[in-house]
Amino acid sequence: MTGTVDWRDTPLSRLLGSRLPIMATGLQWLANAEYVAAAVNSGMMGFITAASFVDASELRDEIQRCRELLSGRAFGVNVSMLPKLLPGDRTEATMTLIMDERIGFVETSGRDPSPYVAALQASGCRVVHKVPQLRHALTAEAAGVDAVILVGAECGGHPGESPVGSLVQGALAARALTIPFAIGGGIATGGQVVAALAMGAAGVAIGTRFLVADEIPAHAQYKQRLIEAQAGDTTLILSSVRNSMRVLRNDTTARVQMLEGDGVNDIQQLLPHVRGTLGKAAYESGDWRQGALSAGQGVGLMRCTAPLVEIVAELEYEADAALARLGCGSAAV
Ligand SMILES: Cc1cc2nc3c(=O)[nH]c(=O)nc-3n(C[C@H](O)[C@H](O)[C@H](O)COP(=O)(O)O)c2cc1C
């Protein structure tokens, strides 16, 4: 195989207006204005995570901070919707804010985004919906979203109730979808980025690999634990309540898995162990043994903390090297 390939220029990078077809997707408590600005400055699209903020006014302030850091350049907001519309759900208010603020990109996850797609797009916002199963991606495509992300079993956060590995997700998506799709889950090297593109993806979504970025607002001890962790040091919890979550193995996961093994399948009994504020406290204190701390199998592939721009430069170097191994030179930026 010979020739020159510009892996950076894809339907997704064109949609996002980014130099690279890479999204630094939502990270509750962690994807704040500084992180998202660093993501955009590194050539990716980043998403401020709405679920980190107690109300719309706090989120509005964060959006403003990000706008200032980026001197008005476009960025995104992540909206994790609960699987079902329940009392107290803040999705409506968040979507209204996103439209009022003329945010360029939204990453939705959790449930069918159909009720919001047309209004968001009419406000000038592009909608990228994230799912763990192809059938949900097809529903989102039919609803008119601009792109989808399919996450595989390896991913940090929610891989769905019948997790499918990222390699299989990519092949399935390439056969079935017509809109641009990204693959997420376990992607932590440039070679994996090229693999996703080779399968037909228009880009990738990354969470775990970026957790050791300097801009991630978490304690050094937590980042050190991620660096030391092996690929097998994550585990799945909460399948008993059909809300499976891949997290860093720790005291909390041992306790929750014991309860689930004993037949507990009531979220009210599990919530005291897994509530989000415990995770927030762990990021602040560095005590990674407590809390349900989302992390994917990519933890086994991180060697040190670094500014996000350097992590991204390494991914680019590795992607170019992967293409060179295949006999395809990569077009320089
Ligand atoms: C610490 C952490 C927090 C996350 N929080 C959210 C979130 O609030 N909303 C969301 O849609 N996805 C969330 N995710 C999932 C990521 O956006 C992304 O889909 C996932 O990390 C990709 O797989 P990877 O971790 O293997 O890179 C989170 C992931 C991690 C690691």
Side-chain angles (χ1 to χ4, degrees):
M1 206 185 314
T2 53
T4 303
V5 176
D6 187 0
W7 64 268
R8 294 167 176 85
D9 179 23
T10 75
L12 189 76
S13 56
R14 273 172 252 145
L15 176 79
L16 300 170
S18 54
R19 189 173 61 78
L20 300 169
I22 305 178
M23 290 178 282
T25 48
L27 304 171
Q28 191 181 22
W29 311 124
L30 303 174
N32 62 7
E34 280 80 14
Y35 173 75
V36 170
V40 171
N41 283 329
S42 305
M44 307 184 289
M45 181 46 63
F47 298 85
I48 291 182
T49 304
S52 309
F53 302 94
V54 291
D55 57 26
S57 128
E58 262 198 18
L59 175 59
R60 192 187 298 273
D61 290 348
E62 198 70 6
I63 287 170
Q64 189 50 35
R65 249 162 36 83
C66 197
R67 203 166 262 148
E68 282 161 21
L69 287 170
L70 284 169
S71 310
R73 269 185 299 147
F75 59 91
V77 172
N78 165 280
V79 186
S80 311
M81 302 177 283
L82 295 172
K84 286 202 181 91
L85 184 56
L86 296 170
D89 184 279
R90 291 179 4 218
T91 305
E92 289 285 335
T94 306
M95 294 300 188
T96 303
L97 175 61
I98 287 169
M99 291 185 274
D100 286 352
E101 292 287 328
R102 296 266 182 263
I103 296 296
F105 302 94
V106 66
E107 177 204 9
T108 50
S109 63
R111 66 169 188 265
D112 180 7
S114 307
Y116 310 104
V117 174
L120 284 164
Q121 288 171 336
S123 79
C125 185
R126 301 299 199 127
V127 182
V128 181
H129 185 58
K130 183 167 65 186
V131 295
Q133 273 192 16
L134 180 62
R135 68 188 164 87
H136 299 310
L138 289 166
T139 305
E141 179 178 68
V145 302
D146 296 281
V148 289
I149 302 169
L150 267 141
V151 285
E154 303 92 325
C155 74
H158 298 281
E161 300 318 305
S162 308
V164 172
S166 296
L167 270 176
V168 176
Q169 291 285 42
L172 287 170
R175 277 191 189 169
L177 292 166
T178 54
I179 56 172
F181 69 90
I183 291 297
I187 295 179
T189 71
Q192 291 170 296
V193 176
V194 170
L197 298 176
M199 285 192 293
V204 298
I206 297 182
T208 298
R209 175 68 185 95
F210 297 151
L211 293 176
V212 293
D214 289 346
E215 293 85 353
I216 285 281
H219 198 283
Q221 270 170 32
Y222 159 74
K223 293 184 187 177
Q224 187 55 33
R225 173 58 195 147
L226 294 178
I227 288 164
E228 287 164 9
Q230 307 292 309
D233 285 337
T234 70
T235 189
L236 289 173
I237 56 170
L238 301 183
S239 59
S240 66
V241 291
R242 298 194 57 75
N243 195 23
S244 294
M245 205 177 166
R246 183 172 294 285
V247 291
L248 192 62
R249 202 184 284 279
N250 64 9
D251 293 352
T252 294
T253 61
R255 217 170 299 128
V256 170
Q257 284 171 339
M258 202 176 70
L259 290 169
E260 292 189 289
D262 286 347
V264 173
N265 59 2
D266 172 8
I267 188 62
Q268 293 310 327
Q269 278 181 267
L270 300 171
L271 208 52
H273 304 282
V274 300
R275 66 173 76 252
T277 45
L278 294 174
K280 186 177 185 221
Y283 296 137
E284 284 165 6
S285 70
D287 181 5
W288 56 268
R289 290 182 177 78
Q290 307 300 327
L293 309 179
S294 289
Q297 294 178 338
V299 287
L301 289 159
M302 336 213 274
R303 288 185 285 249
C304 59
T305 58
L308 190 57
V309 69
E310 286 180 19
I311 297 174
V312 175
E314 187 178 10
L315 287 175
E316 286 189 65
Y317 175 83
E318 291 168 343
D320 288 334
L323 282 168
R325 272 198 304 277
L326 294 173
C328 306
S330 173
V333 276

